[in-house]
Amino acid sequence: MTDEKFFEEAEAQIPHGQVRTRFAPSPTGYMHVGNLRTALYTYLIAKHSDGVFILRIEDTDQSRQVEGAEEVIYRTLAECGLKHDEGPDVGGPVGPYIQTERRGMYKKYAKMLVEKGHAYYCFCDKTESEEDSGEFEREDCPCRSLPLEEALRRAETEPYVIRQLIPHEGTTTFHDASFGDITVPNDSLDDQVLLKRDGLPTYNFANVVDDHLMGITHVVRGSEYLSSAPKYNLLYEGFGWEIPEYVHCSPVMRDQQHKMSKRHGDPSYEDLRNDGFLTDAILNYVALLGWSPRGELAETEFFTLSELADAFDIAGISKSPAIFDIEKLKYFNAHYIRNMEPEAFAKVAEPYIRQAVKNEAYSVSKIAAILQNRCEKLTDIPEKLDFFDELPEYDIECYTNKKSKTNAELSLTVLKAVLPKLEAVADWNEDSIKELLTKMAEEMGCKNATVMWPVRIAASGRLVTPGGVVEICDILGKEETVARIKKGIAKLET
């Protein structure tokens, strides 16, 4: 029968007196945007109140586990700065924090619930298949009315599950921070399985037991779990436990009709990082997918993580689905790129720069400087730099530019005039190059662009470049710039 000492000791360990939240992912492979948002909101609720943020790994569904998935969870949280105060890797007062390591405990609580009259042993032959499909007609189940003594006797020799005993009559009302009070008739709820034949709990049972024993005060999860919330309430009430505050978040959508899904090619957090988005930009944008600041901050778009923690208010969470807009994320990313310290940008940009610029004589920091205000994401970088290592083929029509008032004939004149002046430059840098080109335009009685356009085309072979001719020539160096000017002259003379 009930192990009173075990339960008393478990209750005594529960922390009280502070906000405690948990992020409880299943190790199923990757961190999709909805999962990341749940982790972020859970973290922000805790930190806004100087509370505790907990990581718990929910691995009771062994069939869905993916090798290496736990590492993805740890790595993502670390990259995002969502540092957990308690968890499998850092410990804490209410561990273990991995559900399979707590498996012996769940049976005790399931049996306690049976003794309290809120659950029952079910010996039906098709239990497992029904459990998987969700099809179970409780009215037809003879096990609901089995006397406890008979059920305990049969449980010694027969396989069984333990099911929640949902009342036939009445209603159950639960409260959600976003959706308010929701009432459902009890006859619409199924007698869900709490403990499976293998002795492992179902998700719906384990998370209730764990949330109570870990002192969780706020439960953040997707709105798809709203339909399960009445059954959670009945479990809490059956045990006589305090019900935490529910915070159900509406889904992140690909469009008006479809939820984001990896199966449909929608990006995970890692996909977004691999596609050149910065973690800070991703977090900032994801925070605003279903939440908006209020008061003086109502019009604010850009937040650091600490600023989000200060501003985050549960009342700002929306009931409406949020549509993930990749173009909006690019806008956020471009802002974060532009506002990085130059040295920091050069560091994150270097791998992308070196994809296109193998010649190490070309300065990464100088190339990064011409890119920082000219790219939306890091993966834009390589295609912008394909002219540095080798001058690409280009048509002489490139020298004709209406705005710069140039054509092939005038460009040839400019390049022939500028070549000896460039060859004579002793101290090669941006200032000396700019001074030379502007002085030459003055001498020729034309706009600066009339001189600079032909030189840029000869130096890069591109109509569009990151940075202007001065920066490009400085990076290329005197020898390469002069060589390219000579090639331009030869092309125009042909």
Side-chain angles (χ1 to χ4, degrees):
M1 300 300 284
T2 303
D3 184 347
E4 294 295 343
K5 184 178 179 181
F6 170 83
F7 296 122
E8 288 173 3
E9 290 177 351
E11 290 291 317
Q13 291 178 359
I14 299 173
H16 297 283
Q18 60 186 162
V19 169
R20 291 174 62 83
T21 67
R22 50 72 168 169
F23 177 53
S26 298
T28 54
Y30 63 94
M31 183 79 77
H32 61 70
V33 171
N35 264 3
L36 178 60
R37 187 185 64 173
T38 299
L40 177 59
Y41 285 7
T42 305
Y43 172 88
L44 294 175
I45 289 170
K47 297 309 167 184
H48 182 74
S49 301
D50 294 323
V52 175
F53 174 56
I54 298 166
L55 173 64
R56 185 173 75 220
I57 303 297
E58 298 196 337
D59 62 343
T60 54
D61 189 348
Q62 299 282 294
S63 64
R64 295 179 61 233
Q65 284 196 65
V66 174
E67 186 176 353
E70 284 190 32
E71 286 71 22
V72 171
I73 294 167
Y74 290 124
R75 184 170 64 249
T76 302
L77 292 180
E79 283 185 14
C80 293
L82 305 181
K83 184 179 180 182
H84 47 283
D85 303 296
E86 300 174 21
D89 54 335
V90 296
V94 288
Y97 293 87
I98 298 177
Q99 281 188 334
T100 50
E101 295 179 9
R102 302 165 65 87
R103 65 180 296 168
M105 174 191 67
Y106 300 114
K107 181 175 285 191
K108 293 178 183 289
Y109 281 95
K111 289 182 175 181
M112 174 204 269
L113 206 62
V114 171
E115 292 176 17
K116 286 176 171 287
H118 297 286
Y120 62 95
Y121 291 88
C122 181
F123 304 94
C124 296
D125 291 340
K126 296 182 179 180
T127 293
E128 284 186 311
S129 62
E130 288 165 348
E131 175 188 322
D132 292 338
S133 68
E135 297 174 2
F136 181 74
E137 297 296 333
R138 60 181 179 177
E139 290 79 4
D140 298 332
C141 178
C143 302
R144 271 181 65 98
S145 56
L146 273 179
L148 180 56
E149 288 187 8
E150 181 180 346
L152 289 172
R153 177 177 52 78
R154 290 180 61 179
E156 292 179 0
T157 58
E158 296 181 44
Y160 64 87
V161 299
I162 293 180
R163 290 187 179 275
Q164 185 174 5
L165 184 64
I166 302 289
H168 282 297
E169 307 296 332
T171 61
T172 295
T173 299
F174 68 94
H175 179 79
D176 177 78
S178 299
F179 292 86
D181 288 335
I182 298 176
T183 300
V184 299
N186 288 334
D187 61 10
S188 69
L189 306 175
D190 66 299
D191 285 2
Q192 65 179 346
V193 172
L194 305 179
L195 197 74
K196 297 181 285 188
R197 288 189 177 190
D198 60 6
L200 281 174
T202 58
Y203 164 82
N204 287 322
F205 184 56
N207 83 78
V208 167
V209 173
D210 288 343
D211 284 346
H212 172 70
L213 295 180
M214 292 183 178
I216 303 304
T217 59
H218 297 71
V219 173
V220 184
R221 55 183 168 231
S223 58
E224 64 269 24
Y225 291 104
L226 277 170
S227 61
S228 298
K231 292 181 283 189
Y232 299 150
N233 259 42
L234 289 170
L235 287 173
Y236 281 109
E237 291 170 0
F239 281 118
W241 294 341
E242 184 178 351
I243 298 170
E245 181 164 4
Y246 297 143
V247 184
H248 288 89
C249 303
S250 292
V252 179
M253 309 289 285
R254 183 188 341 138
D255 52 42
Q256 294 287 353
Q257 286 80 36
H258 303 95
K259 289 177 64 174
M260 288 188 73
S261 167
K262 184 73 170 177
R263 288 174 299 183
H264 292 101
D266 295 316
S268 66
Y269 165 77
E270 287 195 321
D271 291 333
L272 292 172
R273 289 285 290 119
N274 292 335
D275 199 26
F277 291 97
L278 301 173
T279 295
D280 289 346
I282 297 170
L283 273 184
N284 192 156
Y285 178 61
V286 167
L288 299 175
L289 286 175
W291 172 80
S292 55
R294 304 194 301 167
E296 296 178 356
L297 298 173
E299 302 301 318
T300 304
E301 286 187 302
F302 302 107
F303 294 88
T304 64
L305 186 58
S306 61
E307 288 169 345
L308 280 171
D310 289 339
F312 199 80
D313 180 355
I314 292 175
I317 298 175
S318 172
K319 293 188 291 186
S320 302
I323 295 179
F324 181 85
D325 183 351
I326 196 72
E327 295 303 318
K328 186 71 171 179
L329 178 56
K330 288 179 183 178
Y331 161 76
F332 272 82
N333 206 58
H335 169 86
Y336 275 89
I337 286 175
R338 288 194 300 271
N339 284 277
M340 293 180 76
E341 290 295 325
E343 297 81 6
F345 176 72
K347 185 175 181 179
V348 298
E350 182 171 6
Y352 299 90
I353 292 172
R354 287 304 181 206
Q355 284 180 31
V357 184
K358 311 294 185 186
N359 188 341
E360 295 191 2
Y362 298 148
S363 165
V364 165
S365 61
K366 287 185 177 182
I367 295 174
I370 66 174
L371 288 166
Q372 189 163 1
N373 291 322
R374 296 177 176 90
C375 63
E376 291 183 315
K377 52 182 185 166
L378 298 176
T379 46
D380 292 343
I381 290 174
E383 65 183 22
K384 296 178 182 292
L385 306 176
D386 61 351
F387 60 88
F388 274 106
D389 277 0
E390 184 176 352
L391 182 68
E393 286 296 322
Y394 64 94
D395 195 283
I396 61 170
E397 289 301 316
C398 293
Y399 286 102
T400 300
N401 183 274
K402 187 175 181 180
K403 186 177 180 181
S404 300
K405 297 183 178 181
T406 63
N407 54 34
E409 182 180 354
L410 180 57
S411 293
L412 178 59
T413 300
V414 169
L415 293 183
K416 283 185 172 180
V418 81
L419 178 60
K421 295 180 182 294
L422 289 172
E423 289 177 318
V425 173
D427 188 9
W428 189 267
N429 56 56
E430 287 188 18
D431 290 338
S432 62
I433 296 166
K434 183 177 181 180
E435 182 182 357
L436 183 156
L437 295 178
T438 53
K439 187 174 182 180
M440 182 174 168
E442 184 180 340
E443 291 173 356
M444 294 179 66
C446 62
K447 294 169 57 177
N448 288 346
T450 305
V451 171
M452 292 187 177
W453 182 266
V455 177
R456 186 171 76 163
I457 295 300
S460 69
R462 289 284 178 257
L463 292 172
V464 179
T465 58
V469 60
V470 172
E471 295 95 337
I472 290 170
C473 290
D474 178 47
I475 293 168
L476 288 172
K478 178 178 176 178
E479 182 179 345
E480 182 63 20
T481 299
V482 167
R484 293 188 180 194
I485 297 295
K486 289 179 178 178
K487 287 180 181 179
I489 292 171
K491 181 183 282 285
L492 288 166
E493 286 182 333
T494 302

